[in-house]
Amino acid sequence: MESLKFTSLIPCKASVNLIPTTKFVNHEVIGQVGFVPLWKRSTRPALRLRAQVSGGSGGAQDGASALEDQREEKGVLLGAETDSSGSVIGFNLIPSNGELKVLDSPPEDATSDRVDETEDIDGKEKSKAKVTRNIVFVTAEAAPYSKTGGLGDVCGSLPIVLAARGHRVMVVSPRYQNGAAADKKFSGALDLDTHIKIYCFGGDQEVAFFHEYREGVDWVFVDHPSFHRPGNPYGDSFGAFGDNQFRFTLLCHAACEAPLVLPLGGYTYGEKCLFMVNDWHAGLVPLLLAAKYRPYGVYKDARSVVVIHNLAHQGVEPAVTFKNLGIPPEWYGALEWVFPTWARTHALDTGEAVNILKGAIVTSDRILTVSEGYSWEITTVEGGYGLNELLSSRKSILTGITNGVDVVEWDPSSDVHIASHYSADDLSGKVQCKLALQKELGLPIRPDCPLIGFIGRLDYQKGIDLIQSGMPQLMEDDVQFVMLGSGDPLCEDWMRAAEATYKDKFRGWVGFNVPVSHRITAGCDILLMPSRFEPCGLNQLYAMRYGTVPVVHSTGGLRDTVLNFNPYAQGGQGDGTGYVYLVYGLVHFLDSLSS
């Protein structure tokens, strides 16, 4: 532990500035949309216009022109809404003719090839995208509304960045309601009073849409009773939900309909969209575009990008369930999957299944992974989980881009969750964060004692077995240890037992808590990430921004982002951003902590 002395904050190598650079006019429309026949629309007579007005030009419409448009309709103006500064931010209008005009596509100047210079909150000018697009993220989770890991972080932050660059961005995700305090996160989303019927699983399934316009992004939530239950987005204490295929089939169908029927901002996104398909939960989207829509001339100009956050989860179910997915039977081959003989349950098991992620890989226009290293790993036998040959065959469209981090939320100089702020120029605040964390956890307050942390899911992927096996030996040293996470019930029980055994050295926090994760990142000296495999990982990026030394296994995004410390570099001054051990095993894991 003595050698782990870093004199400055380690810069994050892969970060994206997620500060919105401009504000755009948004018209939020609440209406009734009918679906017989498909894509025919009817609307309620009430129209609510809500605008965030900037002084920019181009496709943005200022408050005065918005009012003039309403006067031309000769409707009843109920009054203007103002913010705390007195600026007009919206109007309430009932049109005199009782009809709402909804455009199927944006005005010509809404998307263009222009380059606009905008001013950041730091006073620095940044250019917007040369070509703006309609981008639709489809995801099972998006922070802060829902989150279990990096998928939620990325889908909650990246859309905001893209919107700030001038793109029109929609995020489509389930509206989870689990009867807990987390339900309040959806309180800002308003019911669009829009219901559609989706034919799948042997009948018509009705879903509704909720909408919130926040930070330049249209956050659209698919509502259905199957999303209303205790637990996380995928399961509860008893394991994964048995109807996940049904739940995420609904999400995919609804996501394909949303750009066609939801009049967000007064007009729909239309057919010319770029769908960002995140993991298997959204994997039916490219297949639906190819099989359900394009044969009828719809979405012929749309494109899809599959983003693989974790290839280990592929959405594999028995072959008999194909008929439930709402896919034409001639497309079965795209989803067809046969388990190898050794993986079958018994001698009569034919191994036939459907694999939703496989279908997405086959039918998508581009494939992304969340780090460059992981894009190579998934083409190998060890990292491909049976899809390595397919992914190798599509290598020409396979790219790895390392995840970024929200540098506003994760900034030790302004973090609202930590006890004291600090920076690379003044690290004194980090010591105060450590002392505050020790006090909060009930550990002996010792600034000189190395404090080790772990934040993550308690499962096979994250290397929890190494921590469990190495804990007795690790506790023989003069260290303190804190773990934050949930997952495997046996691992959760082990954390409780370890806390009872090592009362003055170990603390285990079962569950996930965002403020606590910030305080652990800021207060610890070392952050462990002994993952067996890690597509990217975000915690090591957060740790490097907070001057906390990451100790990681050399895999995937961990290998890409953490530079192993070399004490002999730069004339003996040393160079590196953490400690990386090459071989997954207890000996190498413990050696990396004692080096």
Side-chain angles (χ1 to χ4, degrees), residues 175-198:
R175 180 175 178 265
Y176 299 110
Q177 297 289 289
N178 54 27
D183 293 352
K184 295 179 180 179
K185 295 177 180 178
F186 294 91
S187 61
L190 301 178
D191 188 350
L192 290 177
D193 199 15
T194 302
H195 299 261
I196 67 173
K197 289 184 178 180
I198 296 168

Side-chain angles (χ1 to χ4, degrees), residues 351-432:
E352 296 179 2
V354 290
N355 186 321
I356 291 179
L357 186 58
K358 180 218 171 184
I361 293 171
V362 168
T363 54
S364 63
D365 298 290
R366 291 289 186 273
I367 305 169
L368 290 179
T369 66
V370 290
S371 72
E372 186 176 354
Y374 194 58
S375 69
W376 169 79
E377 285 185 4
I378 62 176
T379 62
T380 67
V381 174
E382 294 80 7
Y385 287 89
L387 294 176
N388 50 291
E389 292 184 3
L390 174 61
L391 287 163
S392 296
S393 71
R394 305 219 70 193
K395 200 168 185 178
S396 61
I397 63 166
L398 173 61
T399 307
I401 302 176
T402 304
N403 276 340
V405 300
D406 188 330
V407 297
V408 176
E409 179 183 0
W410 292 91
D411 184 354
S413 66
S414 59
D415 194 328
V416 298
H417 301 301
I418 63 178
S420 180
H421 294 155
Y422 59 95
S423 66
D425 298 323
D426 182 7
L427 284 172
S428 59
K430 183 167 179 62
V431 178
Q432 298 303 316

Side-chain angles (χ1 to χ4, degrees), residues 6 51 63 147 204 389:
F6 282 63
K147 171 185 169 181
D204 289 333
E389 292 184 3

Side-chain angles (χ1 to χ4, degrees), residues 232-347:
N232 63 45
Y234 315 111
D236 54 21
S237 58
F238 299 101
F241 295 132
D243 62 346
N244 275 343
Q245 186 191 61
F246 170 73
R247 300 164 75 231
F248 296 119
T249 296
L250 291 182
L251 171 65
C252 294
H253 280 270
C256 290
E257 290 293 315
L260 302 175
V261 302
L262 297 182
L264 307 176
Y267 54 86
T268 64
Y269 273 59
E271 299 177 27
K272 195 172 182 180
C273 292
L274 173 62
F275 286 88
M276 300 297 293
V277 178
N278 293 274
D279 277 346
W280 80 263
H281 323 99
L284 284 181
V285 169
L287 196 58
L288 288 169
L289 297 179
K292 181 181 176 182
Y293 292 92
R294 286 186 185 133
Y296 301 97
V298 182
Y299 280 135
K300 59 183 182 298
D301 294 323
R303 296 294 181 265
S304 60
V305 179
V306 171
V307 186
I308 301 175
H309 297 261
N310 193 334
L311 189 65
H313 305 287
Q314 299 176 9
V316 180
E317 296 285 351
V320 70
T321 63
F322 173 79
K323 66 180 185 297
N324 297 328
L325 303 178
I327 304 291
E330 60 268 23
W331 285 85
Y332 174 75
L335 292 168
E336 184 179 17
W337 178 257
V338 180
F339 281 99
T341 304
W342 61 266
R344 301 177 189 178
T345 56
H346 51 77

